[in-house]
Amino acid sequence: MTSLNRLAGVVGSVIVWLGYSAGPGRADPLPNTQPLRAEGDLAAQMVAGMHQYLDRALADSPRRRAAQWKPDYRSLEHYRQSVAAHRERLRTLLGVVDARLPARMEYVGGPDEPALVAETPRYKVFAVRWDVLPGVTGEGLLLEPQEPALANVIALPEADWTPEMAVGLAPGVPSEAQFPRYLAENRCRVLVPVLMDRSDEFSANAQLKRATNQPHREFIHRMAYQMGRTLLGYEVQKVLAAVDGFHRQQEKGEKRPTAVFGYGEGGLIALYAVACDERIATALISAAFGPREKIADEPIYHNVWGLLTEFGDGDLLRLLVPRSAVFVASPWAVDAGPPSRAGRSGAAPGRSVAASFEAMQAEMKPVLAEIRPVPWLKGTRFPLVRSSAPGEPPGTFSGPASPEAYAAFFDILGLPMTITAPHQPPTDLRKNFQPRHRQKRQFQELVEYTQKLWRHSEAVRQQFWQKADASSPHAWDQSTEAYRDYFHTEVIGKLPEPTRPPNPRTRRVYHEKTWTGYEVMLDVYEDVPAYGILLLPQGLQPGEKRPVVVCQHGLEGTPRSTIDDEGKRVVYNQFSRRLVELGYIVYAPQNPYYGRNEFRQLQRKANPLKLSLFSFIIRQHQRTLDWLETLPYVDKDRIAFYGLSYGGKTAMRVPAVEKRYCLSICSGDFNEWIGKNVSVDLDRSYMWTGEYEMYEFNLGHTFNYAEMAALIAPRPFMVERGHDDGVGTDEMVAYEYAKVRYLYANRLKLPQRTEIEFFVGGHQIHAQGTFAFLKKHLQFPR
């Protein structure tokens, strides 16, 4: 090539390169991209697309679940072995993991409240309490037949029915629905536990002047979920503790089968209990069985991490085999809890609605077809009946069970049904008994138990992290790979690799004196794009590669929030604009925490699929990094992350998984994160807010923010903290950060790679120490 040709080639390269900088005469799009045509609220469209993705995944979950089950029907022993791991996983997902106390039941009474609550010619009623977990008891009523009992039945009423209402000692439940005394009159020993109700009376802290309309069920479930427990699991534990007691009596020679009988919320607890424990001979499940693919519409205290990857209600039948059980289609619909009102708000939306007879039938059908040909299961049956009596229109509420249902239940137990209709209800012998005091005791016990789990969780996390090797930065990086995968798979939830090519589309939306901005959209999955704004400084030279700072907005924000003038109330401090004006390439992504309950319900749909909001965010960031690395002016080894608020949450989670981020800065979010979510003694805890999507299953026993930072190490990590930032306190932040400093400085011998800046101010980007941190570790501007 002649010198002239070479010169022409260089000039041509310069002309093409200047095209990337989008000079005054150039419009969109960027080279090697298609024009971006999308209009409207792109953030809202992103959230809507994720809903569509999850709706498809939920609808497809029965097919995917079927592949998880490999039952071996050669014999009963082979079968039990083939489903044992499923039963153990169900216990884990429900949080039925704590060792119960030795079985012990006692009568409860006092001067005006005798333990003998009532007596009829056929049975006596006692107030009882039994041990469950350290500091946790079950309470309720025990109906003891006057003649020797033929069976033990744990009767689980609807959550808002007190045991007294269910037995007929107090008004509120129709006579035909008072199933515990019907069972007692047929010579069953009947235990009626107290369930957490849907009142919000005790969901408060008077000293903090904090209160919420979260029903007791949600209030306990929130904190429990973070610690790897659920309210449903706690109530299953109370049932199984009672089974422990009945089983001990069997070991002493009593030959009585133990069964569960539940309606509504009690029916769901009964279903999970009988699936978890083979000692329960049979069950009657009323108004609680059916398809779960719409679980996000149910109360949040039905949310079980990963449930629908393995357990639809139909799949639970496999855990009942070879036992039989009765299922009742009964009308039932109830809101999750009280409405918002002055001084009390924050509860998650939801409503329980019983499935129709036809929906229940369809849910059972695949498993029934599977077991029907098995010779040794000829005696196993799952009768499905309506609660309405003969001659009544379907849907008529005649109680949790019809005569046909009772007959099937007693037949499975092998007992005669001598009483076909209950006699007169008993009369309470106690004076001025107040069930709310008992409800308060049961509520406080579960709150205190869960608070103790949080207080002891640091030691559990230390044990969990024992295999991390800090002998050198390299050893640390290698030995934490298993923790990184666990974090992504088991805590965040791992989506499959993107299913679509990126197909980048761009258009110019800013043209400033020293920089130009482009909207960018990349495909990830069907209906799910990654979207953001790329800011390019003017004056990029051919062959020059510069560092990129990914600047992440917070709750309800957009990429423009980090770029545009905010007026008097400064939060983002235009940090994307300021960084590009310093010569950095800047990318401001759109994250999907946008649209209030619209995005929060994404979490509700995702969790049962073992996914979360951050499952999407991680894949969007990975797709964005893939594209950024193709740009000729990007130094792929110097791509940093800097996020505020919810963007700070992103700064803790995405770089912990995605190692292509060479450093991470968490602003306005770093915290003793488990306490921030769980504590009822912290005025700024999420226990008092409407941000119900914050809770991540069992995070408390695996990854606090120090452990997330440990996944970022040995890469540089910084915290930016305003003294008056209400997301936490200086003491909480400093305590948690001290563990990060200890790792970097003392164990890895890299003190220069981590910093914290406290500044006078609030929930905002300070842009002082952090900018110096970027300059130091990105070595730019030179």
Side-chain angles (χ1 to χ4, degrees):
M1 180 183 290
T2 65
S3 299
L4 183 60
N5 288 336
R6 284 197 298 270
L7 178 60
V10 171
V11 171
S13 296
V14 172
I15 292 171
V16 171
W17 192 264
L18 288 174
Y20 279 79
S21 297
R26 185 169 181 87
D28 54 328
L30 281 169
N32 300 317
T33 69
Q34 297 298 314
L36 176 57
R37 307 292 189 195
E39 299 292 343
D41 189 337
L42 300 185
Q45 292 170 28
M46 175 193 291
V47 171
M50 290 179 180
H51 275 290
Q52 293 169 0
Y53 180 99
L54 290 170
D55 288 341
R56 288 192 297 269
L58 287 163
D60 191 45
S61 62
R63 182 188 66 82
R64 292 178 176 273
R65 282 197 300 275
Q68 301 295 318
W69 291 81
K70 306 293 182 184
D72 185 345
Y73 289 109
R74 287 179 295 168
S75 69
L76 175 58
E77 188 56 35
H78 282 98
Y79 182 81
R80 280 179 168 155
Q81 291 176 4
S82 70
V83 300
H86 292 286
R87 196 184 316 278
E88 190 57 36
R89 276 195 291 275
L90 178 64
R91 293 187 188 114
T92 299
L93 297 179
L94 290 170
V96 184
V97 295
D98 299 312
R100 293 186 296 276
L101 295 173
R104 186 179 71 92
M105 183 175 285
E106 62 185 3
Y107 295 119
V108 180
D112 294 324
E113 297 182 4
L116 179 61
V117 172
E119 184 170 7
T120 76
R122 294 185 175 274
Y123 58 89
K124 296 178 180 179
V125 183
F126 296 94
V128 293
R129 178 169 53 227
W130 61 100
D131 291 334
V132 182
L133 302 168
V136 176
T137 64
E139 287 195 64
L141 297 178
L142 179 69
L143 283 63
E144 191 74 61
Q146 298 284 10
E147 297 182 64
L150 301 176
N152 302 310
V153 181
I154 302 166
L156 296 149
E158 218 298 290
D160 286 332
W161 297 4
T162 66
E164 287 74 18
M165 291 164 64
V167 171
L169 291 166
V173 173
S175 175
E176 61 271 21
Q178 296 167 10
F179 62 94
R181 65 187 182 92
Y182 184 89
L183 298 169
E185 289 178 0
N186 280 280
R187 293 183 60 185
C188 293
R189 174 187 288 139
V190 183
L191 179 64
V192 190
V194 174
L195 301 183
M196 279 298 101
D197 65 20
R198 298 185 188 86
S199 163
D200 61 9
E201 180 180 3
F202 310 123
S203 303
N205 185 319
Q207 290 183 323
L208 295 180
K209 298 182 180 179
R210 290 289 186 271
T212 172
N213 72 321
Q214 294 169 43
H216 299 149
R217 299 191 67 78
E218 178 181 344
F219 194 81
I220 292 169
H221 177 82
R222 281 197 189 192
M223 63 178 82
Y225 195 82
Q226 195 82 352
M227 304 310 303
R229 312 296 190 271
T230 66
L231 175 62
L232 289 170
Y234 280 149
E235 292 182 322
V236 167
Q237 287 278 45
K238 294 189 179 192
V239 172
L240 300 188
V243 173
D244 294 342
F246 292 142
H247 189 69
R248 190 177 69 172
Q249 292 174 340
Q250 288 183 352
E251 292 173 347
K252 292 179 179 179
E254 293 187 3
K255 301 299 182 182
R256 302 187 187 99
T258 297
V260 290
F261 188 129
Y263 170 65
E265 200 74 17
L268 186 58
I269 297 161
L271 176 62
Y272 286 138
V274 70
C276 284
D277 198 321
E278 294 180 274
R279 297 174 301 171
I280 300 173
T282 187
L284 186 148
I285 311 298
S286 179
F289 182 92
R292 293 281 162 201
E293 284 67 50
K294 298 289 187 182
I295 195 170
D297 297 332
E298 298 180 33
I300 197 170
Y301 41 83
H302 291 179
N303 186 32
V304 177
W305 173 253
L307 181 72
L308 296 183
T309 64
E310 194 167 354
F311 304 104
D313 284 9
D315 301 296
L316 295 176
L317 297 180
R318 296 191 183 96
L319 299 183
L320 272 61
V321 168
R323 297 164 291 167
S324 299
V326 182
F327 294 86
V328 183
S330 181
W332 175 59
V334 62
D335 289 335
S340 297
R341 57 197 185 279
R344 284 186 183 264
S345 61
R351 182 171 172 80
S352 292
V353 180
S356 67
F357 181 93
E358 292 74 19
M360 294 174 70
Q361 197 171 47
E363 183 69 16
M364 287 181 167
K365 186 176 179 179
V367 175
L368 294 182
E370 183 181 298
I371 67 175
R372 191 173 293 118
V374 181
W376 56 270
L377 288 177
K378 293 301 182 185
T380 297
R381 52 203 166 104
F382 298 116
L384 172 60
V385 299
R386 301 181 192 271
S387 65
S388 51
E392 292 180 327
T396 302
F397 182 68
S398 300
S402 62
E404 181 186 0
Y406 282 113
F409 180 69
F410 282 105
D411 184 55
I412 290 170
L413 281 172
L415 304 179
M417 188 174 71
T418 57
I419 306 298
T420 58
H423 291 80
Q424 285 296 111
T427 301
D428 200 327
L429 300 175
R430 297 169 295 184
K431 299 178 180 179
N432 301 318
F433 174 71
Q434 296 293 325
R436 61 184 293 274
H437 298 316
R438 183 182 56 197
Q439 177 76 201
K440 185 177 183 179
R441 286 196 301 271
Q442 292 284 285
F443 174 83
Q444 289 179 328
E445 285 177 2
L446 290 176
V447 168
E448 282 305 312
Y449 184 83
T450 311
Q451 296 296 296
K452 188 175 289 186
L453 288 177
W454 159 49
R455 290 192 290 269
H456 293 173
S457 64
E458 189 165 331
V460 178
R461 290 194 301 274
Q462 288 174 353
Q463 183 72 21
F464 178 73
W465 276 80
Q466 274 194 331
K467 294 181 181 179
D469 181 0
S471 60
S472 71
H474 178 73
W476 182 264
D477 190 47
Q478 295 300 306
S479 65
T480 55
E481 280 303 312
Y483 292 100
R484 191 181 328 281
D485 182 69
Y486 186 97
F487 181 64
H488 191 182
T489 305
E490 302 298 329
V491 177
I492 298 294
K494 185 183 289 186
L495 279 165
E497 295 290 334
T499 57
R500 296 201 158 193
N503 183 27
R505 287 92 73 201
T506 63
R507 66 179 164 218
R508 192 179 69 197
V509 289
Y510 290 96
H511 186 75
E512 303 290 327
K513 182 177 180 180
T514 60
W515 57 274
T516 306
Y518 289 86
E519 283 187 314
V520 179
M521 187 170 287
L522 309 166
D523 289 335
V524 185
Y525 305 104
E526 182 181 356
D527 298 318
V528 180
Y531 161 71
I533 295 179
L534 177 69
L535 307 184
L536 296 175
Q538 298 282 8
L540 290 167
Q541 299 301 311
E544 180 186 10
K545 292 184 180 291
R546 291 197 190 179
V548 179
V549 183
V550 174
C551 294
Q552 190 65 67
H553 64 80
L555 180 65
E556 302 293 344
T558 68
R560 291 179 182 273
S561 303
T562 72
I563 300 168
D564 297 341
D565 182 21
E566 301 170 272
K568 293 182 178 179
R569 186 176 181 271
V570 175
V571 176
Y572 294 100
N573 209 359
Q574 296 182 284
F575 75 122
S576 287
R577 178 188 293 263
R578 293 174 65 180
L579 285 166
V580 73
E581 287 173 351
L582 289 173
Y584 293 98
I585 297 167
V586 173
Y587 190 82
Q590 176 69 60
N591 271 3
Y593 34 77
Y594 179 92
R596 300 183 183 275
N597 275 350
E598 278 299 309
F599 90 79
R600 293 194 167 99
Q601 287 301 101
L602 288 174
Q603 193 85 319
R604 295 291 317 281
K605 291 179 179 180
N607 277 188
L609 295 170
K610 198 178 177 183
L611 297 170
S612 69
L613 201 63
F614 277 98
S615 303
F616 288 98
I617 292 170
I618 286 173
R619 290 305 192 201
Q620 288 175 313
H621 276 258
Q622 289 174 333
R623 174 48 53 95
T624 299
L625 290 169
D626 293 342
W627 180 70
L628 287 173
E629 288 180 342
T630 69
L631 301 182
Y633 36 78
V634 166
D635 184 344
K636 67 182 181 63
D637 295 321
R638 291 188 293 166
I639 303 179
F641 192 95
Y642 185 0
L644 171 71
S645 193
Y646 229 124
K649 290 171 183 59
T650 311
M652 299 307 304
R653 288 161 178 79
V654 174
V657 171
E658 180 46 75
K659 294 171 70 175
R660 285 180 290 176
Y661 281 121
C662 68
L663 66 80
S664 183
I665 300 173
C666 176
S667 179
D669 187 68
F670 190 88
N671 227 316
E672 200 286 84
W673 183 251
I674 308 307
K676 167 76 172 176
N677 280 267
V678 172
S679 176
V680 295
D681 296 314
L682 178 68
D683 60 354
R684 59 208 70 196
S685 166
Y686 287 123
M687 288 299 300
W688 310 116
T689 76
E691 292 159 290
Y692 56 82
E693 85 287 357
M694 289 295 177
Y695 294 84
E696 298 158 289
F697 186 69
N698 204 29
L699 191 72
H701 288 132
T702 52
F703 300 90
N704 205 335
Y705 270 14
E707 286 78 24
M708 293 184 204
L711 293 179
I712 296 170
R715 291 167 289 157
F717 173 72
M718 183 175 179
V719 173
E720 184 177 48
R721 160 73 190 173
H723 287 301
D724 296 322
D725 190 340
V727 302
T729 67
D730 282 357
E731 293 83 358
M732 291 173 65
V733 174
Y735 172 80
E736 191 67 13
Y737 179 75
K739 292 180 278 184
V740 178
R741 181 72 185 172
Y742 179 82
L743 171 64
Y744 275 83
N746 192 55
R747 300 184 70 195
L748 299 178
K749 313 303 180 186
L750 298 170
Q752 73 281 5
R753 292 195 185 180
T754 187
E755 295 179 23
I756 188 168
E757 181 191 28
F758 289 93
F759 65 89
V760 176
H763 191 64
Q764 62 193 98
I765 293 286
H766 188 49
Q768 298 296 319
T770 52
F771 277 31
F773 191 78
L774 289 169
K775 181 177 181 179
K776 173 182 175 182
H777 293 286
L778 298 179
Q779 299 181 356
F780 186 88
R782 296 187 183 280

